[in-house]
Amino acid sequence: MTRRILDHKILGPRKNKIVPFKWNGETYYGAEGESITAALLANDVRTLRHHERDGAPRGLYCNIGHCSECRVTVDGAQNVRACLTPVRKDMEIRRQGALPHLVKGGGDDGL
Amino acid sequence: MDYDVIIIGAGPAGLSAAGVLKDDKRVLVIDEYYHHGGRLLGQLYEESRGNWWNGMEIADELYGGLEGKVEFSLGTSVYNAEREGSLFTIYTDKGNFTARCLVAATGSKENSSPLPGWELPGVMTVGAAQVLTNFHRVAPGEAGVIIGINPLSMVIAMELGYADVEVKKICLPAANDINTATPKDALETLMGLSRSAPSKFLAFAGGVGRRLTLLHGPVLNFFPSGGVRTLGLPISIKERVVRINGTDQVESVTTIKTRADGSVIEGTEQEIVCDFVCISDGLSPVNEITSLFNLKHVYLESLGGYVPLHSEKMETEIEGLYVAGNITGIENAKVAMLQGEMAAHRILGDEAASEDTLRKINEERKNAKVKFHEDLDAGREKLQLYWLAK
């Protein structure tokens, strides 16, 4: 389980303004102004994407927009880097799935 | 022309440059992140007893002084830059902007040493864990293992401790063509930290290295194979992580013991249960923007990689193009801030301020609490020779 650090030994307590957002159609809650990666991690969601080729689970890695491992679909726009995008009220975020093979078919919808 | 100066990067260097220019020039600061601060976000360490460096506070102070005077375009990705005549054009996903001067303050990125299982959710860079823990205040997990022994990983391991996130082990990565760090390198890191330790913990960790050297000569033979625990941090320089295990996310790592020379001792595999793993392999300058120009870049390991050829006053071979911060070589945020001020003084043509800032930079380097590479000074000198010989 992951958790929010509400009282930090050195930085002190923090109160967050909580906003609802949708992850794969379900309602979750995040702190206003935090990145999508932080909001999902606080909800114990680690798998942000299934790899395009083999469907293997992938999560945040660099958290600064370099690795592109955390790409998600935000309000219909594909391949948005979750680590660079602040979560907003009622945002619709979806996990991206494996792509179908040209001949063999397959793929998944990310759920 | 839209602006006098465009600054790419809203970190310590970029914000400091803007601070000097704010009253005299029309300035635009661009950053890909949606919040100002760059790598200041997350920095938290004790410089001396009771005296804390809080990067987030510093970032807010720098930013606060600019409001209403400098334009910001955050959450903006730069994908190209050109110079025609004496005008720079910066192409971004929010439109194109022109200016007479450009300051590339793009900072650094973390290197990654790949190993089996590193693509699993739960594996991240130490910098990612730092920002999550201190800026977002979301714990990266319950208990983690840090792979890589270097100044950055040691400082961040301590920061995880402040947030009550357990670090089960700090050890070396599996040896391969890319990862070549040996127990000797790790010990040298610990000893290096003792020279100018930013805290009691690092002083202690460094002390272990120094004491062993003085007393035993061949220290590494005596370094306990299970590591040492100092103020809650388990440092194990004779242990390597050979793979990360898990089905849908990190569940454990497998380590193996090594001899003093770094060679593995067969049959000593051990599984450590954890729910996150941090990989730390040092930092390298982000030079994509400067690479777009006809500009020489020099590879210097002591500076972290390829850096654009520049003078100690932050000028490059292209008129109007300046660099500042970690793009010039990996150093601490205080140096980056001074370098940003330096670039701005050159843009304003302020000789006296440039000389004064140069003195401050040299002073800060001498007193730096964390030195990212032991040959940093030699690297800087070499770069200066290249500049003079250009």
Side-chain angles (χ1 to χ4, degrees):
Chain A
M1 277 297 284
T2 56
R3 61 185 166 87
R4 288 192 184 278
I5 302 156
L6 297 175
D7 198 3
H8 190 283
K9 270 181 207 156
I10 288 130
L11 297 169
R14 175 189 283 178
K15 277 207 182 98
N16 297 306
K17 190 185 170 208
I18 297 296
V19 293
F21 65 93
K22 288 258 162 78
W23 169 244
N24 297 328
E26 280 181 50
T27 301
Y28 284 70
Y29 294 89
E32 198 173 42
E34 71 184 348
S35 66
I36 294 174
T37 52
L40 287 172
L41 187 63
N43 284 285
D44 212 28
V45 174
R46 286 205 188 270
T47 300
L48 303 179
R49 179 177 133 252
H50 292 159
H51 194 277
E52 288 75 2
R53 184 170 51 85
D54 59 9
R58 296 295 167 97
L60 77 98
Y61 180 73
C62 77
N63 214 20
I64 56 166
H66 270 271
C67 74
S68 292
E69 284 285 84
C70 64
R71 283 172 286 127
V72 291
T73 298
V74 176
D75 294 333
Q78 288 187 315
N79 295 321
V80 174
R81 287 171 290 180
C83 69
L84 294 183
T85 311
V87 73
R88 278 188 309 273
K89 189 173 179 288
D90 298 330
M91 201 175 224
E92 294 253 3
I93 311 164
R94 298 192 84 84
R95 185 185 284 143
Q96 297 180 182
L99 297 173
H101 188 274
L102 203 57
V103 180
K104 290 183 264 181
D108 73 72
D109 61 5
L111 298 175
Chain B
M1 185 180 67
D2 302 323
Y3 298 93
D4 295 317
V5 185
I6 291 176
I7 300 170
I8 304 177
L15 293 178
S16 300
V20 173
L21 296 168
K22 65 177 190 295
D23 294 320
D24 301 297
K25 300 282 181 193
R26 280 174 302 153
V27 179
L28 173 70
V29 182
I30 302 174
D31 199 294
E32 197 169 32
Y33 206 56
Y34 62 87
H35 194 282
H36 59 268
R39 295 308 305 193
L40 281 171
L41 301 180
Q43 288 186 6
L44 182 69
Y45 57 86
E46 198 171 13
E47 288 189 300
S48 55
R49 212 180 165 74
N51 189 11
W52 289 84
W53 173 268
N54 179 339
M56 292 148 287
E57 263 176 28
I58 308 281
D60 282 343
E61 277 167 32
L62 291 172
Y63 183 76
L66 303 172
E67 270 175 308
K69 295 187 170 174
V70 165
E71 267 186 64
F72 278 85
S73 186
L74 300 176
T76 302
S77 302
V78 174
Y79 63 85
N80 193 21
E82 279 177 352
R83 186 173 186 259
E84 244 185 78
S86 59
L87 208 59
F88 290 94
T89 305
I90 308 304
Y91 298 81
T92 83
D93 60 352
K94 302 247 173 84
N96 307 334
F97 308 100
T98 56
R100 291 236 181 266
C101 290
L102 177 65
V103 180
T106 45
S108 56
K109 61 179 185 288
E110 276 192 66
N111 305 327
S112 284
S113 39
L115 73 160
W118 78 313
E119 74 285 1
L120 279 169
V123 181
M124 63 191 82
T125 62
V126 275
Q130 182 185 42
V131 171
L132 286 167
T133 305
N134 295 339
F135 179 60
H136 294 303
R137 302 266 200 108
V138 177
E142 246 168 50
V145 169
I146 296 180
I147 306 174
I149 298 176
N150 50 60
L152 192 67
S153 73
M154 303 289 281
V155 169
I156 294 175
M158 259 194 304
E159 293 177 358
L160 289 170
Y162 301 147
D164 296 318
V165 176
E166 189 189 353
V167 176
K168 288 201 160 177
K169 198 81 111 175
I170 306 171
C171 48
L172 290 173
N176 57 35
D177 288 349
I178 296 167
N179 312 326
T180 55
T182 63
K184 187 166 170 285
D185 298 328
L187 189 68
E188 278 170 9
T189 297
L190 295 180
M191 289 166 64
L193 289 170
S194 80
R195 278 198 294 270
S196 52
S199 80
K200 210 162 71 176
F201 159 65
L202 289 183
F204 189 85
V208 171
R210 195 173 44 204
R211 200 162 59 236
L212 286 167
T213 316
L214 292 174
L215 295 178
H216 300 289
V219 196
L220 290 162
N221 294 328
F222 291 92
F223 202 94
S225 65
V228 290
R229 192 166 259 280
T230 66
L231 295 186
L233 284 187
I235 305 166
S236 196
I237 66 174
K238 287 202 284 194
E239 200 168 352
R240 293 182 183 281
V241 172
V242 287
R243 63 175 176 275
I244 303 166
N245 313 303
T247 316
D248 291 328
Q249 60 183 54
V250 173
E251 289 162 25
S252 70
V253 300
T254 302
T255 65
I256 193 160
K257 303 262 195 255
T258 79
R259 297 179 187 85
D261 64 2
S263 60
V264 301
I265 305 168
E266 298 300 337
T268 55
E269 282 95 345
Q270 228 182 352
E271 202 177 328
I272 303 173
V273 175
C274 57
D275 67 347
F276 76 99
V277 170
C278 293
I279 295 181
S280 179
D281 194 24
L283 300 162
S284 55
V286 171
N287 51 26
E288 283 104 330
I289 303 289
T290 49
S291 303
L292 293 167
F293 296 98
N294 184 16
L295 198 61
K296 223 171 274 151
H297 285 65
V298 185
Y299 185 84
L300 287 165
E301 205 184 304
S302 54
L303 298 184
Y306 282 97
V307 296
L309 185 57
H310 62 274
S311 76
E312 53 186 8
K313 291 182 178 166
M314 303 296 109
E315 300 136 320
T316 68
E317 289 179 275
I318 292 175
E319 203 192 324
L321 174 61
Y322 300 83
V323 287
N326 271 358
I327 188 177
T328 75
I330 306 308
E331 291 188 74
N332 67 39
K334 284 184 185 171
V335 172
M337 286 159 72
L338 289 166
Q339 288 177 323
E341 290 174 19
M342 174 67 90
H345 292 318
R346 298 313 290 171
I347 288 169
L348 295 174
D350 190 335
E351 279 301 328
S354 307
E355 290 302 327
D356 185 47
T357 304
L358 188 58
R359 251 195 322 274
K360 285 186 192 155
I361 290 175
N362 291 330
E363 192 66 20
E364 176 50 42
R365 279 194 182 125
K366 237 184 287 161
N367 301 329
K369 300 288 182 200
V370 179
K371 208 169 189 182
F372 285 93
H373 198 285
E374 55 178 356
D375 298 328
L376 178 80
D377 297 333
R380 286 273 169 216
E381 269 172 45
K382 202 167 181 179
L383 189 68
Q384 195 52 27
L385 286 178
Y386 287 143
W387 171 258
L388 295 172
K390 74 179 186 304

